Amino acid sequence: MIPHKWWHSQALRETRAVGDGWRIFLDVYNAAARDPAALQEIRAERLAQSLERAAQTEFYAPLLQGKDLSIQAAAQTLATLPALSKSVVRGSPKSFLTGLVHEVDELRVQTSGTSGEPMTIVHDDSLLTEAAAAGLRMLEAYGLAPGYRLLRFTSDPRHKLVDFGASPYNCASVVVTVNISKIDRESCEYVNRICEDFRPHAVWGQPMEVLLAMLRQREGLLRLPKPMRVLTHGDTLDPQARKAISESFGAPHSDLYGLQEFGRVAWECPDSIGTYHVEEERIRVDVAQDGHLLITGLVNKATAFLRYQPGDCAEILRGTCSCGRPHARLTKLEGRQRGLVVDAHGQFVSVKPLRLALEAMPLDRWQVQQNVPGELLVRVAPSDMAAGERMAGDLSDILGKVVAMKQLTVETVELGELAAGGEKAPHFRLLVTQESMSGSTPSGTGLW
């Protein structure tokens, strides 16, 4: 097959996904929304298909050889497999490819790197089509409709103050993106007029970005029309942050849980706060004895991950929810949390540019610390310690260009110094966290 030059046009791929996703929504997700028997049939069939694909990979072929992969035995066979750690995947990522998807049809995403070195994950079109189908059901549960207006928050300094777009596979939403870290007293009226004219149905962002928007409202810089719902994703929410977000925006707040390895995994039930409906038509979730999640992908034809352990913990609830949905639910979810960096101008900015710059260097491990606003300490363990001094100088120049700091110190250390109790040290130790943001007062400048 010789693909057309537009084959990887994001707009075209996403638009195609909407059409396919609508069909899958009608045939699968809507059918299973309130029917436990239909859901069980879909889960069992898709799990057996997933095991058959996995048996064609280098990693799982010997583990599944001679095993019963039938629909009736699939769940028991899955339970015999070991938990799959991220380190194993990082060590041999190609051994999980099925070979069933042509390279031109692959969709590749990169993990965030918040819980270890980032990985490239290979998907097929199900990443878009199944997400579109499942998203329609979630949207209906939240009282929204296709074509809804979405106000998205970012704090990435590389992004513009305001951007306009659309997200076809995200339920054909129309999107205005506002960079909260760039709002000041000169630009706030411009941003407020756009938000007032746009009249968003929903607000969307990572918890830290939504909390930063909350703080800008308290400071009087930002005036937002009341949305129908606030949606957060990406990080585990602490109770104080949940309360602060809901009260600040005056709207129901719901959280989503997902991973780049699988897409969205679960979404918070609007009738049972703190519990998350697993999208069991495309994801199977089990919980190990120690509370760690074990996630199995059911629809990705390009890559097979069975009993994958992302490092997050939760309890799982079986049986029909009070809302009437038969899907398993996660509760007491504990996962990753990110913070923001305070730059030389007192602005709160995303850590993503720092992370990308550090990931591009030959480092065994790194850590960014901020104990004083406007100052950063970056500790790095180079793969080649002999080049450490030169690398520290290069990094100082590179990082100084991606984030403005009054003082930026880069020091090289031995790998062992970036470990505590035998565990890897977190990549970021920052001042601005969910706890500090949600506890900010309306007066003054909030945190500082």
Side-chain angles (χ1 to χ4, degrees):
M1 173 184 176
I2 301 176
H4 191 276
K5 63 181 179 180
W6 293 338
W7 186 245
H8 283 290
S9 164
Q10 180 176 344
L12 287 177
R13 294 291 286 270
E14 290 187 355
T15 302
R16 174 190 170 191
V18 172
D20 291 343
W22 173 245
R23 176 184 54 78
I24 296 171
F25 167 72
L26 292 175
D27 295 344
V28 178
Y29 288 84
N30 195 47
R34 307 279 176 174
D35 188 338
L39 176 61
Q40 174 57 30
E41 182 180 349
I42 293 166
R43 287 186 312 192
E45 181 179 355
R46 287 187 163 189
L47 177 58
Q49 293 169 350
S50 179
L51 290 176
E52 289 176 359
R53 291 192 296 269
Q56 301 181 56
T57 68
E58 178 184 341
F59 182 85
Y60 287 113
L63 295 175
L64 293 173
Q65 187 174 9
K67 298 287 183 69
D68 188 348
L69 307 183
S70 67
I71 292 176
Q72 294 76 18
Q76 291 80 7
T77 297
L78 178 69
T80 66
L81 298 177
L84 176 63
S85 68
K86 287 187 174 182
S87 61
V88 172
V89 176
R90 287 193 189 96
S92 183
K94 291 185 178 180
S95 67
F96 296 91
L97 298 180
T98 65
L100 299 174
V101 177
H102 194 284
E103 185 176 356
V104 300
D105 293 322
E106 293 177 350
L107 296 174
R108 301 185 181 189
V109 298
Q110 191 174 57
T111 61
S112 66
T114 53
S115 58
E117 303 308 317
M119 304 181 293
T120 298
I121 307 298
V122 180
H123 291 267
D124 67 338
D125 269 348
S126 67
L127 177 67
L128 299 177
T129 57
E130 297 279 341
L136 288 168
R137 184 174 61 193
M138 180 188 74
L139 203 68
E140 186 175 32
Y142 288 156
L144 301 169
Y148 71 108
R149 295 186 297 275
L150 180 65
L151 178 60
R152 176 178 176 263
F153 294 132
T154 180
S155 59
D156 191 326
R158 299 169 303 166
H159 295 169
K160 297 187 295 184
L161 174 64
V162 178
D163 203 1
F164 306 89
S167 183
Y169 87 100
N170 186 9
C171 305
S173 58
V174 182
V175 185
V176 167
T177 300
V178 172
N179 193 329
I180 299 298
S181 70
K182 292 188 176 181
I183 294 177
D184 55 26
R185 300 204 176 274
E186 293 182 357
S187 62
C188 62
E189 284 307 314
Y190 166 69
V191 173
N192 286 330
R193 285 198 304 272
I194 288 176
C195 293
E196 288 168 4
D197 291 342
F198 185 56
R199 293 177 291 113
H201 295 112
V203 166
W204 167 282
Q206 293 184 1
M208 290 300 299
E209 294 161 344
V210 175
L211 286 167
L212 183 53
M214 176 197 75
L215 183 59
R216 293 293 177 252
Q217 289 190 100
R218 289 178 173 180
E219 294 171 341
L221 290 178
L222 191 61
R223 298 189 308 272
L224 295 176
K226 182 179 177 179
M228 295 172 62
R229 190 164 294 271
V230 179
L231 302 172
T232 54
H233 70 101
D235 289 350
T236 298
L237 279 161
D238 63 44
Q240 187 175 359
R242 281 181 176 274
K243 180 180 179 182
I245 289 172
S246 184
E247 291 179 351
S248 176
F249 288 90
H253 164 237
S254 298
D255 188 47
L256 316 179
Y257 172 63
L259 303 162
Q260 293 286 26
E261 293 91 327
F262 303 98
R264 186 177 55 249
V265 172
W267 46 276
E268 190 170 20
C269 178
D271 299 332
S272 182
I273 305 304
T275 67
Y276 296 69
H277 288 289
V278 178
E279 296 185 348
E280 291 189 277
E281 295 87 351
R282 64 191 191 95
I283 300 288
R284 179 188 171 100
V285 177
D286 296 294
V287 178
Q289 289 185 346
D290 61 2
H292 280 91
L293 294 178
L294 301 172
I295 303 178
T296 296
L298 304 182
V299 296
N300 186 357
K301 296 180 176 64
T303 302
F305 288 148
L306 309 179
R307 291 170 59 83
Y308 179 80
Q309 187 168 298
D312 302 332
C313 294
E315 294 180 8
I316 193 161
L317 304 175
R318 306 286 184 184
T320 301
C321 176
S322 59
C323 70
R325 297 178 181 87
H327 299 74
R329 288 167 292 146
L330 301 179
T331 187
K332 299 181 181 179
L333 186 60
E334 297 179 9
R336 57 200 181 278
Q337 287 192 354
R338 282 167 278 206
L340 297 172
V341 167
V342 187
D343 70 10
H345 310 294
Q347 296 291 336
F348 300 164
V349 297
S350 168
V351 300
K352 188 172 183 178
L354 291 169
R355 178 176 61 78
L356 292 175
L358 289 161
E359 287 170 1
M361 302 297 286
L363 302 172
D364 288 336
R365 193 69 180 167
W366 52 268
Q367 185 182 73
V368 176
Q369 298 179 9
Q370 183 167 57
N371 298 313
V372 178
E375 299 181 8
L376 278 185
L377 170 62
V378 182
R379 307 177 74 211
V380 299
S383 301
D384 179 10
M385 283 299 294
E389 185 175 345
R390 175 180 56 79
M391 184 179 296
D394 292 344
L395 266 175
S396 183
D397 293 338
I398 293 170
L399 299 180
K401 293 176 181 177
V402 300
V403 61
M405 285 289 149
K406 296 176 183 177
Q407 180 177 325
L408 195 156
T409 304
V410 179
E411 64 177 34
T412 56
V413 299
E414 296 287 345
L415 180 60
E417 294 186 45
L418 292 180
E423 298 292 331
K424 290 181 177 179
H427 280 315
F428 294 96
R429 292 187 182 276
L430 304 174
L431 284 169
V432 183
T433 62
Q434 282 190 36
E435 183 179 5
S436 62
M437 289 285 283
S438 57
S440 301
T441 59
S443 61
T445 56
L447 286 170
W448 318 119

